[in-house]
Amino acid sequence: MEYIIDYLYSLKTKKLNRLVAQLSIVPIAQSIIIQSVKSINKVSVKKEYSVKMAEPIRVVVTGAAGQIAYSLLYMIARGEVFGSDQPLILHLLDIPPMVGVLEGVVMELADCALPLLRQVIPTTDPSVGFKDVSAAFLVGAMPRKEGMERKDLLSANVKIFKAQGQAIENFAKKDVKVLVVGNPANTNAFVCANYAPSIPRENFSAMTRLDQNRATSQIATKLGVPISAVKNIIIWGNHSSTQYPDAGQGKVVINGETKSVADAVNDNAYLQGAFVETVQKRGAAVIAARKMSSAMSAAKAACDHMHDWWNGTAPGTFVSMGVCSDGSYNSPKDVIFSFPVVIANKQWKIVEGLNLSDAAKAKLNITAKELQEEKDEALSVLDLSSNL
Ligand code: NAD
């Protein structure tokens, strides 16, 4: 009897109904089949209920016609950041000269036939771009041109991030999570947060995850272990060549045993010298080789950053994010400084109480000084005092 029922379960409901009609002269068979149809219907109602999807969230990517966005949009739309059961409405913001390129990106996203992607809204209007967004990837920025001084670059970018801060203030959801990728990322995030006073300042961050990923990859290669065996490599300070990549708190699993990276590498000169320099200059090395700046790896890092902010960090693991400084580790207050953080319930917390060597403290001071100078320059360009 059981295998008859199994067979009946394997049939589609329509086929079963047909069978009921055909076998109506055999009462016992009919009753078994009717029971099966009923329970299959129950199962399918249950299934339909359990696969009911969440409401879509709106996510904006600025600089959507650029090279980082070209990789980033696909990764987001595939569900790599917000989850494979979270439908999305993507807002693509760029500037008017890029409208044609943006149209091409929209066509390609459609052609990817991605199940989570419910709608794509290309725009050059920040009031549309930021409307009701839950997450913002601020990638678009003015690139450094030949002969441009740092102050000129800063000046062009603070204007962009002022306008975007105001748009976030006026149009985004109040719990929006903002990740600034466009350089100078830390100071752009500072400016943006300043112009969105009704959004908690904790909701603004700058990306140093690419530097963290680069550093982690260097250590994994040095030790001949998979990347997943290495954790807790820190990037302190600015996303610039003054950043301090610090393997001093790192952990590695080798042959099933967890060790400190310092013990496993057993080469302090490397960890304080070649390792730090390689990570600090990796962006320039990619440009020299590719004749274009890092894009695929930057997009992956932006996904990692937002993924961990959204979903939390694993116990015992921390990640690096540029966040508003509370003065921890002797950093200047109120600059966007990259710290090790742990994340739960979409809230980050700086990891306190780590022991730093005098050499490490000296390196933190260098990057802190640069961030303070950038902040002062930004404030002078904008002619405002910090609201933070
Ligand atoms: P890209 O030049 O290919 O694209 C930038 C896009 O931004 C362009 O389409 C441009 O039209 C757009 N844009 C300019 N101003 C805008 C505005 N006001 N609003 C909306 N869009 C605007 O550059 P990319 O390679 O994609 O890099 C983008 C930024 O990311 C650069 O500033 C780069 O230095 C920075 N970056 C940061 C990291 C990091 O780790 N934080 C890593 C790599 C690159």
Side-chain angles (χ1 to χ4, degrees):
M1 177 71 80
E2 244 173 47
Y3 65 81
I4 297 177
I5 291 179
D6 279 351
Y7 166 68
L8 292 171
Y9 263 76
S10 73
L11 294 178
K12 296 256 184 300
T13 310
K14 254 190 190 165
K15 269 193 186 166
L16 278 166
N17 285 335
R18 232 179 292 133
L19 214 56
V20 172
Q22 282 165 6
L23 293 178
S24 56
I25 43 158
V26 189
I28 178 140
Q30 194 182 15
S31 98
I32 292 168
I33 294 167
I34 286 170
Q35 285 308 317
S36 306
V37 171
K38 277 186 183 162
S39 33
I40 284 170
N41 283 342
K42 258 192 223 154
V43 170
S44 42
V45 168
K46 226 179 175 179
K47 264 196 188 150
E48 222 169 76
Y49 180 75
S50 67
V51 297
K52 193 169 181 276
M53 282 238 163
E55 284 298 304
I57 55 166
R58 292 172 185 271
V59 176
V60 63
V61 175
T62 75
Q67 54 152 2
I68 293 178
Y70 193 70
S71 296
L72 176 61
L73 288 164
Y74 174 65
M75 294 180 195
I76 297 171
R78 263 174 61 101
E80 289 177 18
V81 178
F82 303 102
S84 56
D85 54 357
Q86 177 58 65
L88 300 162
I89 298 173
L90 278 180
H91 294 208
L92 274 47
L93 182 68
D94 212 292
I95 50 176
M98 301 306 285
V99 163
V101 180
L102 215 47
E103 276 172 17
V105 176
V106 174
M107 283 189 247
E108 283 215 66
L109 280 169
D111 297 348
C112 286
L114 294 158
L116 292 174
L117 193 53
R118 293 301 154 85
Q119 200 185 346
V120 180
I121 303 175
T123 182
T124 58
D125 178 352
S127 70
V128 176
F130 288 98
K131 181 78 181 146
D132 292 334
V133 295
S134 298
F137 294 80
L138 306 190
V139 181
M142 171 72 77
R144 191 190 281 266
K145 293 183 187 139
E146 235 181 311
M148 217 180 197
E149 294 296 320
R150 190 175 84 167
K151 191 155 186 173
D152 301 332
L153 181 72
L154 205 66
S155 158
N157 277 301
V158 291
K159 283 178 196 138
I160 293 174
F161 286 86
K162 172 184 174 181
Q164 294 188 351
Q166 288 168 332
I168 289 169
E169 170 75 3
N170 292 328
F171 303 108
K173 290 185 100 169
K174 292 298 171 198
D175 60 355
V176 61
K177 304 280 182 254
V178 181
L179 164 60
V180 178
V181 176
N183 281 320
N186 299 51
T187 301
N188 289 340
F190 165 79
V191 171
C192 202
N194 244 302
Y195 283 94
S198 71
I199 313 276
R201 67 169 110 167
E202 292 77 18
N203 292 20
F204 292 84
S205 64
M207 186 167 99
T208 52
R209 185 59 171 263
L210 176 53
D211 309 296
Q212 179 194 312
N213 287 349
R214 288 167 172 164
T216 307
S217 174
Q218 291 296 317
I219 296 292
T221 305
K222 177 91 179 161
L223 293 172
V225 296
I227 200 95
S228 55
V230 181
K231 66 176 187 178
N232 296 355
I233 308 294
I234 303 170
I235 304 299
W236 298 96
N238 202 1
H239 169 68
S240 75
S241 58
T242 68
Q243 67 176 259
Y244 175 44
D246 175 11
Q249 314 294 331
K251 296 263 184 277
V252 57
V253 180
I254 298 181
N255 298 330
E257 196 193 329
T258 302
K259 291 182 170 182
S260 76
V261 165
D263 286 349
V265 172
N266 195 23
D267 183 351
N268 198 40
Y270 164 77
L271 289 178
Q272 291 305 324
F275 164 70
V276 171
E277 275 169 36
T278 303
V279 178
Q280 286 176 335
K281 295 181 181 160
R282 187 69 161 186
V286 170
I287 293 176
R290 232 171 68 86
K291 315 292 174 231
M292 283 193 289
S293 60
S294 312
M296 176 172 52
S297 55
K300 160 69 166 49
C303 288
D304 289 346
H305 177 122
M306 190 64 87
H307 173 274
D308 290 350
W309 202 356
W310 208 259
N311 299 290
T313 45
T317 301
F318 42 77
V319 293
S320 293
M321 276 170 76
V323 294
C324 187
S325 166
D326 60 355
S328 293
Y329 297 99
N330 212 23
S331 58
K333 266 191 163 187
D334 297 344
V335 299
I336 303 286
F337 196 93
S338 180
F339 290 106
V341 299
V342 288
I343 306 164
N345 303 319
K346 299 196 174 80
Q347 308 289 327
W348 53 263
K349 204 165 147 280
I350 296 171
V351 178
E352 300 287 357
L354 299 175
N355 265 330
L356 299 183
S357 65
D358 287 345
K361 285 179 190 162
K363 288 196 165 115
L364 256 69
N365 286 342
I366 295 170
T367 195
K369 185 166 171 285
E370 183 183 52
L371 276 171
Q372 184 64 55
E373 285 169 8
E374 275 188 19
K375 175 184 158 184
D376 293 343
E377 279 175 29
L379 292 176
S380 72
V381 170
L382 290 164
D383 194 21
L384 93 176
S385 50
S386 166
N387 292 324
L388 286 171

